Amino acid sequence: MTKRLCLLGIILMAVNAAGAADKLTAFEPTQEWPDNNGVHINAHGGGVLFHDGVYYWFGEHKIGGRRGNTAQVGVHCYSSTDLYNWKDAGVALTVSNDPNSEIVSGSIIERPKVVYNAKTEKFVMWFHLELRGQDYTAARTAVAVSDTVTGPYTYLRSFRPNAGKHPINVTERDLRPSRENYFQRDIERGQMARDMTVFVDDDGKAYHIAAAEENVTLHVSLLTDDYLDFTGTFSRVLVRRSREAPAVLKRNGKYYLLSSGCTGWAPNAAEYAVADNIFGPYETKGSPCVGYNPDTEMGAELTFGGQSTFLLPVEGKKDAFIGMFDAWRPNNPIDGRYIWLPVEFKDDGKMVIQYRQRWDLSVFD
Ligand code: GAL
């Protein structure tokens, strides 16, 4: 009898550990975030696509140890209908075993963003790619495509964008050769593209926004109608301000561009800038952050220990966005944490991101 009870207990515990975990009803930034299997979500540097009533979270699948800073698995996808509880939908883009593939394991695949093209009915994934063994010097953007949202995505190609092109806001100074003029240096070869995001506007036009010119200046580039290529129309924004980790939202006809400084995995101060046109000019507004994160012991001046990755519109609520940040753990990347916080707006349009240890979507009501 005792033995049997004991066995029952063990089975119940196993079932619980295997996913019968309680449903989550709130966000708890910086804590472990279990998926439907009770496993910490593995989707770093991510972005979210809402499609047919479901949210899909795509991000970098990391493994343990320093090697986890390179791509050993690919891009992981999770799905959710309430934003708190995420179901493992598997690996959407898998690294290759072929040493000649650009996405061979050991390459670097970062900040994947997936968008849906209504005309072609295809899902398009853009990401920052670094070739194996070349550290961060390739600075390429890369694209993959799928007929189904969760994949598998077919890898298409990588490149340095806007080769041979001048930006729409070109100045004489941009074209003057000098040792520090990285834009001019790269015109022929194509512009560098590191930290990136993709933004689809209300009119269906999609824009690729990336850290270019040795991370000194961001480039906003219009994609083709099928979202699979660059049109060659682009602008240089936040010129020489050294911003990366870009994320964009649109509110009341204005574009809010959130970004970080350039200090690698170490946190720094977030900053946002506002423009009437996605190509700029952007007016810098300073950090939107307020408060303190007791878990990282970091305040607003260090973005609570996080770095921006995406601004997520909450469906069905007006002016409701979630700021998604990564709290990187470069020595054990798989344990990197997520800091999701509500984005609030003051009457004058000022953006505020206040740290909260626990919060739910009712803050938007
Ligand atoms: C950060 C960047 C990350 C990653 C890291 C590598 O600045 O935002 O995505 O590239 O550098 O050190």
Side-chain angles (χ1 to χ4, degrees):
M1 180 67 182
T2 347
K3 247 192 197 161
R4 241 192 246 163
L5 269 181
C6 194
L7 190 66
L8 186 68
I10 289 170
I11 291 171
L12 280 176
M13 269 162 62
V15 166
N16 203 33
D22 290 339
K23 270 196 120 202
L24 302 174
T25 54
F27 300 102
E28 295 191 39
T30 327
Q31 301 303 312
E32 278 189 18
W33 194 342
D35 69 6
N36 62 309
N37 299 316
V39 177
H40 180 49
I41 292 171
N42 201 338
H44 311 267
V48 173
L49 170 69
F50 183 75
H51 186 75
D52 280 350
V54 181
Y55 295 95
Y56 296 89
W57 177 359
F58 296 85
E60 306 159 21
H61 182 115
K62 305 267 198 188
I63 66 163
R66 293 289 306 186
R67 205 162 66 98
N69 294 313
T70 61
Q72 301 296 329
V73 176
V75 174
H76 209 123
C77 177
Y78 295 82
S79 68
S80 175
T81 50
D82 64 9
L83 292 168
Y84 309 120
N85 296 279
W86 292 88
K87 194 169 154 226
D88 186 352
V91 177
L93 175 75
T94 307
V95 295
S96 170
N97 296 323
D98 176 357
N100 295 316
S101 165
E102 292 175 349
I103 57 162
V104 63
S105 58
S107 61
I108 294 174
I109 291 176
E110 288 181 342
R111 301 184 175 273
K113 303 289 176 293
V114 174
V115 288
Y116 176 67
N117 189 293
K119 282 190 195 134
T120 61
E121 298 182 8
K122 291 198 190 294
F123 298 88
V124 179
M125 179 191 290
W126 285 93
F127 55 93
H128 167 202
L129 178 73
E130 296 292 346
L131 303 175
R132 184 162 81 176
Q134 298 185 23
D135 196 26
Y136 280 86
T137 58
R140 292 189 188 195
T141 191
V143 59
V145 68
S146 174
D147 291 329
T148 54
V149 58
T150 57
Y153 283 74
T154 304
Y155 178 71
L156 297 178
R157 67 197 183 284
S158 76
F159 56 98
R160 287 248 184 127
N162 296 319
K165 305 284 182 193
H166 289 170
I168 56 174
N169 55 355
V170 72
T171 65
E172 228 178 87
R173 182 179 170 180
D174 298 340
L175 303 173
R176 213 181 299 146
S178 83
R179 205 154 50 93
E180 256 119 67
N181 191 343
Y182 307 120
F183 167 72
Q184 193 274 342
R185 179 196 69 189
D186 290 340
I187 290 178
E188 216 173 292
R189 173 176 182 198
Q191 300 294 329
M192 301 176 89
R194 290 202 182 112
D195 281 7
M196 52 74 66
T197 194
V198 176
F199 177 76
V200 179
D201 211 337
D202 310 324
D203 59 3
K205 284 194 178 1
Y207 300 85
H208 179 280
I209 297 149
E213 306 178 33
E214 306 289 353
N215 299 346
V216 164
T217 294
L218 290 166
H219 289 184
V220 178
S221 304
L222 175 66
L223 296 177
T224 50
D225 284 350
D226 61 9
Y227 301 171
L228 293 172
D229 206 348
F230 282 59
T231 56
T233 299
F234 76 110
S235 71
R236 300 171 71 234
V237 306
L238 303 183
V239 174
R240 286 182 291 280
R241 291 194 65 85
S242 294
R243 307 303 300 174
E244 62 179 8
V248 179
L249 67 78
K250 189 179 187 183
R251 176 182 179 268
N252 287 347
K254 291 197 185 296
Y255 299 88
Y256 287 72
L257 171 53
L258 180 67
S259 63
S260 77
C262 298
T263 54
W265 302 118
N268 55 54
E271 200 172 272
Y272 76 103
V274 181
D276 293 322
N277 187 311
I278 192 151
F279 288 123
Y282 283 84
E283 196 184 323
T284 297
K285 301 283 190 185
S287 171
C289 298
V290 179
Y292 179 76
N293 180 351
D295 293 305
T296 57
E297 300 183 345
M298 290 181 204
E301 71 293 349
L302 290 177
T303 316
F304 320 118
Q307 186 183 28
S308 45
T309 184
F310 198 70
L311 290 164
L312 160 56
V314 178
E315 289 305 316
K317 295 194 192 244
K318 193 175 178 296
D319 286 345
F321 300 88
I322 296 174
M324 292 169 53
F325 301 84
D326 292 284
W328 306 109
R329 300 214 170 161
N331 291 321
N332 192 27
I334 191 172
D335 195 31
R337 302 301 170 86
Y338 310 102
I339 297 179
W340 285 26
L341 294 167
V343 179
E344 293 163 282
F345 297 93
K346 293 268 192 313
D347 287 342
D348 60 359
K350 188 174 161 21
M351 182 194 249
V352 178
I353 301 180
Q354 158 93 49
Y355 196 78
R356 290 168 159 88
Q357 280 182 276
R358 188 182 161 88
W359 66 281
D360 62 47
L361 296 172
S362 67
V363 302
F364 296 118
D365 295 343

